[in-house]
């Protein structure tokens, strides 16, 4: 098995069909064997019905896992990661759409350079605008600035990404789309289940760097991310509460708050 996808749905009926269709189209002529492990986190909408329909049309390829309640992003993803058989693992959100050519290009980077443990593409909003999916490890001040000024930051930094094609190292990437080698997961371990929702992406990327691998951003290929952003805005909800708890845990676990941790790959 070349490639395993790990995709979560949680009331994702507006997105999951486009996500799955884009994967099938993207890999139609890629010559790769693959499986899609789709975990439904207790959806109350049509997501389970949609997944069952795709399972029926794609037996053995689409493998759904249905949960009775939302157990968060780490527990559910780990369920799928434990079942994944692929040499390469793609963690992907259900509101992402990919295009042909994305996977061969990213896999080529992983195959060519053993120092690279994870690769991520450029991420765009449906409008075509650049989405800030990569960043440095966030201090408390940096995190607050990102929360308050994300759109302004994206507008300013996005100008510099026009025509960008050279891959480069980044501290971390949001878990809307990760592609990594199985051996990296086996060395780093699964996602930290003490984090319910976020920032599990920062934690895992930091652990990849500490294990001696690089994370590379490959802007020559791109994906579309509809970015539901359930923890943004000023209204208090469980997503924000869980995000805040996760941040406190992250800072304690990795012993940083006001100074960005320095890591170096092999």
């Amino acid at each position: 098995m070349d490639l395993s996808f790990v995709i979560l749905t949680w009331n994702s009926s507006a997105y999951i069909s486009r996500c799955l269709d884009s994967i099938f189209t993207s890999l139609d002529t890629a010559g790769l064997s693959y499986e899609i492990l789709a975990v439904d986190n207790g959806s109350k909408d049509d997501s389970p019905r949609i997944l069952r329909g795709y399972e029926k049309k794609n037996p053995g390829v689409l493998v759904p896992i249905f949960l009775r309640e939302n157990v968060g992003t780490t527990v559910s993803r780990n369920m799928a990661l434990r079942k994944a058989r692929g040499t390469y693992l793609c963690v992907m959100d259900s509101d992402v759409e990919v295009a042909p050519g994305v996977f061969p290009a990213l896999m080529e980077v992983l195959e060519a350079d053993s120092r690279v443990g994870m690769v991520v593409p450029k991420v765009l909003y449906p409008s075509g605008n650049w989405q800030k999916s990569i960043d440095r490890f966030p201090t408390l001040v940096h995190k607050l600035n990102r929360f308050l000024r994300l759109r302004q930051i994206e507008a300013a930094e996005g100008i510099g990404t026009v025509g960008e094609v050279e891959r480069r190292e980044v501290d971390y990437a949001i878990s809307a789309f990760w592609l990594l080698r199985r051996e990296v997961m086996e060395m780093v371990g699964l996602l930290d289940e003490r984090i319910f929702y976020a920032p599990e992406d920062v934690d895992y990327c930091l652990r990849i760097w500490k294990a001696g691998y690089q994370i590379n951003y490959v802007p020559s290929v791109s994906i579309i991310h509809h970015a539901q952003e359930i923890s943004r805005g000023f209204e208090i909800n469980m997503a924000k509460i869980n995000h805040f708890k996760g941040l406190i845990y992250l800072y304690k676990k990795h012993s940083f708050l006001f100074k960005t941790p320095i890591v170096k790959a092999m």
Side-chain angles (χ1 to χ4, degrees):
M1 182 72 65
D2 295 317
L3 180 59
S4 292
F5 290 89
V6 171
I7 300 175
L8 303 187
T9 55
W10 181 63
N11 298 331
S12 305
S13 60
Y15 304 100
I16 186 59
S17 292
R18 284 183 290 183
C19 174
L20 295 174
D21 288 342
S22 75
I23 292 174
F24 293 131
T25 300
S26 175
L27 295 178
D28 186 45
T29 59
L32 298 171
S33 59
Y34 64 97
E35 62 182 356
I36 304 172
L37 301 164
V39 185
D40 184 76
N41 250 328
S43 292
K44 305 302 181 185
D45 66 358
D46 278 345
S47 296
R49 181 187 62 79
I50 293 171
L51 290 178
R52 289 189 180 97
Y54 276 89
E55 178 188 20
K56 186 175 181 179
K57 290 187 293 184
N58 304 275
V61 176
L62 193 288
V63 182
I65 301 170
F66 297 106
L67 305 179
R68 292 185 177 182
E69 60 182 0
N70 188 345
V71 297
T73 57
T74 55
V75 172
S76 51
R77 279 177 175 154
N78 284 346
M79 287 180 182
L81 288 169
R82 289 187 184 98
K83 293 177 177 291
R85 298 174 293 159
T87 301
Y88 297 95
L89 308 173
C90 181
V91 174
M92 193 166 114
D93 279 355
S94 59
D95 56 359
V96 162
E97 297 176 52
V98 296
V102 168
F103 294 103
L106 294 178
M107 291 169 68
E108 183 179 354
V109 175
L110 291 175
E111 291 169 356
D113 193 340
S114 62
R115 298 170 302 172
V116 181
M118 176 190 289
V119 288
V120 296
K122 179 188 294 185
V123 179
L124 304 174
Y125 287 107
S127 65
N129 291 337
W130 181 76
Q131 187 175 137
K132 189 172 178 59
S133 61
I134 53 172
D135 210 342
R136 62 184 175 88
F137 293 124
T139 62
L140 182 60
V141 173
H142 182 78
K143 190 69 178 178
L144 182 61
N145 184 49
R146 180 179 172 124
F147 177 78
L148 295 173
R149 301 184 59 253
L150 178 60
R151 294 296 177 256
Q152 296 95 312
I153 293 170
E154 287 179 327
E157 294 185 7
I159 295 173
T161 68
V162 177
E164 185 182 25
V165 294
E166 295 297 323
R167 68 181 171 103
R168 57 185 170 90
E169 297 175 15
V170 295
D171 281 2
Y172 86 95
I174 63 173
S175 56
F177 189 106
W178 290 344
L179 186 66
L180 62 155
R181 291 198 298 272
R182 165 177 291 281
E183 66 186 59
V184 174
M185 183 193 71
E186 291 173 348
M187 178 174 288
V188 175
L190 296 170
L191 295 162
D192 189 336
E193 295 185 359
R194 285 165 290 189
I195 301 174
F196 181 85
Y197 160 59
E200 88 289 352
D201 45 11
V202 180
D203 172 73
Y204 202 74
C205 289
L206 188 45
R207 288 162 56 197
I208 286 176
W209 276 102
K210 287 182 175 181
Y213 292 98
Q214 300 175 9
I215 296 171
N216 275 197
Y217 170 60
V218 186
S220 57
V221 291
S222 62
I223 62 168
I224 294 173
H225 183 211
H226 290 267
Q228 298 171 70
E229 299 181 325
I230 61 174
S231 63
R232 292 198 60 77
F234 292 96
E235 180 183 349
I236 301 299
N237 56 34
M238 285 307 300
K240 288 190 181 66
I241 293 171
N242 285 322
H243 194 167
F244 179 74
K245 288 179 179 178
L247 275 174
I248 298 303
Y249 172 75
L250 175 80
Y251 291 139
K252 287 183 178 179
K253 177 180 179 179
H254 295 286
S255 301
F256 77 103
L257 184 62
F258 296 112
K259 188 175 181 179
T260 301
I262 298 175
V263 292
K264 187 176 182 180
M266 58 185 173

